[in-house]
Amino acid sequence: MARIELASLAHAYGPRPRGDADYALKTINLEFKPGGAYALLGPSGCGKTTLLNLISGLLVPTEGSVLFDGTDVTEQTSEQRNIAQVFQFPVVYDTMTVYENLAFPLRNRGVARQALDLRVREIAEMLGLTPSLMQKARRLTADAKQKISLGRGLVRADVSAMLFDEPLTVIDPQLKWELRSQLKQLHRQVGTTMIYVTHDQTEALTFADTVIVMYDGRILQVGSPQELFERPHHTFVGYFIGSPGMNILHASVEGRTATVAGRAIPLPRAYDRLADRARVELGIRPEFVRIAPQGEGVPVRINRIDDVGRFKIARVSLDGQALSVMVGEDTQLSGDSAAIEFDRAHLHVYADGQLVDGKA
Ligand code: ATP
């Protein structure tokens, strides 16, 4: 298991890149600690697979280097780096049995027969493949084939890291849920560094201790699920994570006061004068906006109420700006107007999308 460092790493698929736009991955510096469970999370095309393939050695970067335990492995193959990688679609040998498929990576490394047998059966059991161990892979469903792929990725405990590229895409929803928790459990058992690519926040947040949020070839934030929820460093992170995402309101800010639609909103911190031409926004999660008692709060118009079971989500607008508000089942709303109040401690200020650190 290796400590993986990416030093000034950047990648362009075309020759002679000139500007930022030519790079699928803009310059990044990042470290993966041995034994960590990481997710690379972001929308389609943001560079997750590119980054994963640079780590595994399937791609050689245009710039920068990849280090494993301090050794430069930038020019090494996946095999030399000792990486196990699982892809979106099954990679199995159809003519082999499930057992042989799982045993293959171990045989390649010359693992003794008894240890091999033990490990193959252990992984098969974990993935629910025991009943089909002696069947030819060709006869199995797409779900089962993808489980074999996962098994082949997980079977060797001595790898530098296990990399997963959207491995649950072809799996049906119920099984997806099961496999996700099994992967998490497996990570605890084997303790190998795992890096998991997904565009699905639920997958990322349930699996990973550390989530790396990407957008347009850049890393916007690296943090625990809690950090991403409580203190998004970028409006995109606030919006992308959470259900619904963070409310973002155009505002002006001076000292300890924000002004939204002519209403003063007290802030938990003081802010220096923000650049004149910056786009200033206030961010607050729906969980921290409440319906105010009568006669208090900021007036809003109620557009719609979504009942999602344990609570309701009121979709409101504040002078034309849309907001979501979590409303308890017992809160009564009538008519199309209400007033809201903000949990001050959870208000954040952003300039041109970036979180601004206020002063206590
Ligand atoms: P997805 O979830 O859709 O796979 P991603 O976040 O993994 O997206 P990448 O596949 O890394 O993103 O793609 C990043 C950018 O690089 C995209 O603009 C994509 O079109 C481009 N790209 C990816 N592979 C190649 C390639 N082989 N040749 C040229 N451009 C590529």
Side-chain angles (χ1 to χ4, degrees):
M1 189 167 34
R3 176 168 53 88
I4 300 173
E5 280 169 274
L6 311 177
S8 305
L9 198 70
H11 192 69
Y13 283 97
R16 293 178 295 283
R18 294 204 186 102
D20 258 11
D22 294 336
Y23 285 84
L25 196 73
K26 280 93 179 169
T27 311
I28 63 165
N29 290 287
L30 191 62
E31 183 180 329
F32 297 87
K33 296 200 167 61
Y38 294 89
L40 301 179
L41 173 68
S44 181
C46 71
K48 306 178 295 290
T49 297
T50 304
L51 180 52
L52 200 74
N53 290 346
L54 289 167
I55 297 170
S56 69
L58 287 179
L59 278 177
V60 177
T62 312
E63 290 160 27
S65 34
V66 180
L67 303 143
F68 279 22
D69 289 330
T71 303
D72 192 326
V73 298
T74 315
E75 303 289 332
Q76 288 185 6
T77 61
S78 303
E79 208 176 341
Q80 288 167 320
R81 295 181 196 195
N82 198 13
I83 289 281
Q85 189 162 358
V86 180
F87 301 92
Q88 199 166 357
F89 297 102
V91 180
V92 295
Y93 297 108
D94 265 350
T95 53
M96 289 186 187
T97 61
V98 174
Y99 186 102
E100 288 304 323
N101 265 288
L102 295 177
F104 195 79
L106 299 175
R107 282 205 212 290
N108 265 350
R109 292 266 155 174
V111 173
R113 187 190 296 210
Q114 214 173 359
L116 176 149
D117 186 65
L118 207 67
R119 184 68 180 157
V120 166
R121 289 179 190 282
E122 190 184 357
I123 292 291
E125 188 60 33
M126 197 171 291
L127 293 170
L129 287 170
T130 306
S132 46
L133 258 183
M134 294 309 158
Q135 280 182 28
K136 288 265 176 16
R138 137 163 40 93
R139 302 224 175 90
L140 303 177
T141 61
D143 274 1
K145 285 188 182 177
Q146 186 62 347
K147 280 194 190 176
I148 302 174
S149 284
L150 273 168
R152 284 161 51 98
L154 296 165
V155 76
R156 284 181 50 219
D158 63 341
V159 291
S160 302
M162 294 175 183
L163 311 187
F164 303 89
D165 194 349
E166 308 242 15
L168 304 184
T169 311
V170 295
I171 304 269
D172 85 59
Q174 172 59 21
L175 190 60
K176 200 181 258 198
W177 190 85
E178 278 170 35
L179 284 178
R180 205 165 54 204
S181 13
Q182 275 167 357
L183 268 180
K184 176 98 190 157
Q185 195 186 338
L186 203 103
H187 176 260
R188 287 203 196 99
Q189 278 171 21
V190 298
T192 307
T193 316
M194 291 188 183
I195 308 176
Y196 189 106
V197 161
T198 179
H199 62 269
D200 177 337
Q201 59 158 320
T202 314
E203 251 172 55
L205 301 177
T206 37
F207 170 75
D209 304 324
T210 305
V211 180
I212 297 151
V213 185
M214 298 180 66
Y215 181 75
D216 191 23
R218 293 178 209 280
I219 291 175
L220 294 184
Q221 187 166 359
V222 179
S224 65
Q226 191 180 349
E227 283 162 350
L228 300 179
F229 181 80
E230 286 183 354
R231 203 163 174 273
H233 288 182
H234 195 281
T235 47
F236 177 79
V237 178
Y239 187 75
F240 196 66
I241 288 176
S243 187
M246 185 181 237
N247 296 304
I248 311 284
L249 299 167
H250 292 291
S252 62
V253 168
E254 211 175 319
R256 283 183 181 274
T257 307
T259 307
V260 178
R263 290 266 170 175
I265 296 168
L267 297 170
R269 288 168 292 275
Y271 293 84
D272 288 337
R273 195 181 145 74
L274 298 166
D276 277 345
R277 284 189 297 160
R279 185 179 79 249
V280 179
E281 287 158 318
L282 207 56
I284 187 149
R285 292 210 173 268
E287 289 81 352
F288 303 122
V289 188
R290 284 183 298 269
I291 299 296
Q294 217 154 29
E296 294 173 33
V298 180
V300 290
R301 184 189 158 79
I302 302 174
N303 300 324
R304 196 176 86 227
I305 300 199
D306 297 333
D307 198 335
V308 289
R310 271 182 304 126
F311 51 81
K312 289 180 272 188
I313 303 167
R315 313 287 181 168
V316 307
S317 49
L318 197 179
D319 198 34
Q321 300 200 64
L323 270 104
S324 301
V325 181
M326 295 280 196
V327 182
E329 277 293 310
D330 45 358
T331 305
Q332 292 303 319
L333 289 170
S334 56
D336 61 0
S337 58
I340 55 169
E341 56 189 14
F342 303 102
D343 184 342
R344 189 150 74 119
H346 296 277
L347 278 163
H348 300 291
V349 172
Y350 295 88
D352 291 332
Q354 300 284 347
L355 181 70
V356 184
D357 274 329
K359 290 186 203 133

